[in-house]
Amino acid sequence: MSRARTARRIAAGAAYGGGGLGLVGAAAVGLVVAEMQFARRAVGSGLPEPPRADGLYGSEFGGPEQSPGPLRLGMLGDSTAAGLGVRRARQTPAALMASGLAAVAERPVELRNVALSGAMSDDLDRQVGLLLDGPAPPPDVCVIMIGANDVTRRMPPTQSVRLLTSAVRRLRMAGAEVVVGTCPDLGTIEPVYQPLRWLARRVSRQLAAAQTIGVVALGARTVSMGDLLGPEFAANPREMFGPDSYHPSAEGYATAAMAVLPTLCAALGLWPESDRLDVSRDEDMLPVAKAASAAAGQAGTEVTAARGPWVLLKHRRRRRVPATDPAQPVVP
């Protein structure tokens, strides 16, 4: 069965309550579980909690009291969204995105990161509540990075997509734009061996495609995390991965942030050529399942709704993001 057809079945099961496809066949369960346990021991944890990066970025563009006030950015998801593995707040992907967004918008950005290390998609409801249920106004835009733990802990993909779409729906109803960084390709993780490597790549890409089908229908955009964002990781794994060989390093997080930033800006109308297709960059308008499948196999690919069942498949040019933390204003 093709990835596009599998993704459609998973997304349909999520939408209509079906059980959908399991992550592994019954005959492979014993071997897969043993391999997965070995991989978990190999990557381990042992990392300190990620630094808190909440705060105001781009303060030189104006304070909170000045009109129109700062843009509000919410970050949700798992350890990758939280920035596990780096030591400084300015090195987390949320801080890098907030810095870049402030530089592009020439407007301060107020960041709130509610992502949790180890989170699965069933934690998104709690995280959305933290952003929406308080006295503060809702975010203008949110970034969600989720899915890896759903695969490694064998959450049914239909349930994973259902939980994600529920979170996206709540954020959209609150008026927020949403960008989802889809499930990364877990087959690239060095401590993961065959046959788990092949299986991890297959199911993580299927989940990524199904996530895209589910959330694009709600007006959100997706960016493929793919093989942890492309040839940079394959060429320089020692630099792009952190000490546990599982989570990105500071350089890896910067690469991820650069890939998401153009879509983040486009969601707010801040990025040029948002609706123009560049054929030389393999951009196209495709049926959603076909686009979702293609995006899952090519890191950094954006999928956004066009009209009807058709979506835009885009490869936006990356822009280097400035590094900063809440104590230091961003310098464009």
Side-chain angles (χ1 to χ4, degrees):
M1 184 182 296
S2 70
R3 186 189 304 150
R5 290 182 61 191
T6 302
R8 277 198 302 265
R9 289 183 60 184
I10 294 171
Y16 298 110
L21 302 175
L23 292 182
V24 294
V29 169
L31 178 59
V32 168
V33 169
E35 288 275 4
M36 196 169 291
Q37 289 174 345
F38 178 82
R40 283 178 179 171
R41 287 196 298 269
V43 300
S45 55
L47 296 175
E49 287 296 312
R52 298 296 301 174
D54 292 13
L56 189 69
Y57 292 76
S59 56
E60 73 274 24
F61 296 117
E65 71 287 348
Q66 295 186 7
S67 180
L71 289 167
R72 296 178 296 276
L73 169 63
M75 189 78 172
L76 308 88
D78 54 23
S79 56
T80 302
L84 184 66
V86 298
R87 297 176 179 273
R88 297 178 176 86
R90 67 173 181 266
Q91 296 173 323
T92 63
L96 292 166
M97 292 179 202
S99 301
L101 181 58
V104 173
E106 297 186 348
R107 182 176 169 186
V109 173
E110 186 174 351
L111 169 66
R112 189 174 181 196
N113 191 343
V114 297
L116 178 67
S117 295
M120 299 166 63
S121 292
D122 56 7
D123 191 55
L124 289 176
D125 183 67
R126 181 192 66 85
Q127 295 182 26
V128 171
L130 292 175
L131 292 176
L132 299 184
D133 294 344
D140 296 299
V141 63
C142 291
V143 176
I144 304 175
M145 302 174 72
I146 200 76
N149 295 324
D150 295 7
V151 172
T152 60
R153 298 177 188 175
R154 299 176 59 204
M155 174 181 282
T158 51
Q159 180 184 359
S160 176
V161 174
R162 188 181 304 123
L163 292 165
L164 173 61
T165 55
S166 176
V168 171
R169 184 178 294 108
R170 288 182 62 191
L171 292 169
R172 294 287 293 147
M173 291 180 65
E177 299 292 338
V178 180
V179 176
V180 175
T182 55
C183 181
D185 181 351
L186 298 178
T188 62
I189 307 301
E190 285 191 338
V192 179
Y193 301 105
Q194 297 291 10
L196 181 58
R197 180 184 292 272
W198 173 86
L199 182 65
R201 167 167 285 125
R202 180 169 177 261
V203 297
S204 55
R205 288 187 177 184
Q206 287 175 352
L207 178 57
Q211 288 175 321
T212 292
I213 293 172
V215 305
V216 167
L218 300 173
R221 302 170 186 240
T222 63
V223 178
S224 171
M225 297 292 100
D227 52 351
L228 288 180
L229 297 174
E232 295 96 336
F233 282 84
N236 303 294
R238 295 294 182 269
E239 295 179 7
M240 306 306 280
F241 283 103
D244 65 353
S245 298
Y246 186 88
H247 293 92
S249 64
E251 292 83 358
Y253 281 128
T255 301
M258 279 194 295
V260 176
L261 178 62
T263 300
L264 177 62
C265 294
L268 293 170
L270 302 172
W271 205 257
E273 58 179 351
S274 59
D275 294 322
R276 291 167 52 191
L277 298 176
D278 187 343
V279 178
S280 68
R281 297 171 63 83
D282 296 324
E283 297 185 340
D284 205 351
M285 181 180 291
L286 298 169
V288 62
K290 188 173 181 180
S293 176
Q298 187 170 1
T301 306
E302 175 191 319
V303 179
T304 184
R307 54 179 178 269
W310 296 80
V311 297
L312 297 176
L313 188 76
K314 297 186 70 67
H315 304 285
R316 297 187 183 275
R317 299 183 186 277
R318 300 182 188 180
R319 174 179 292 188
R320 184 166 299 278
V321 295
T324 186
D325 60 25
Q328 298 177 348
V330 61
V331 179

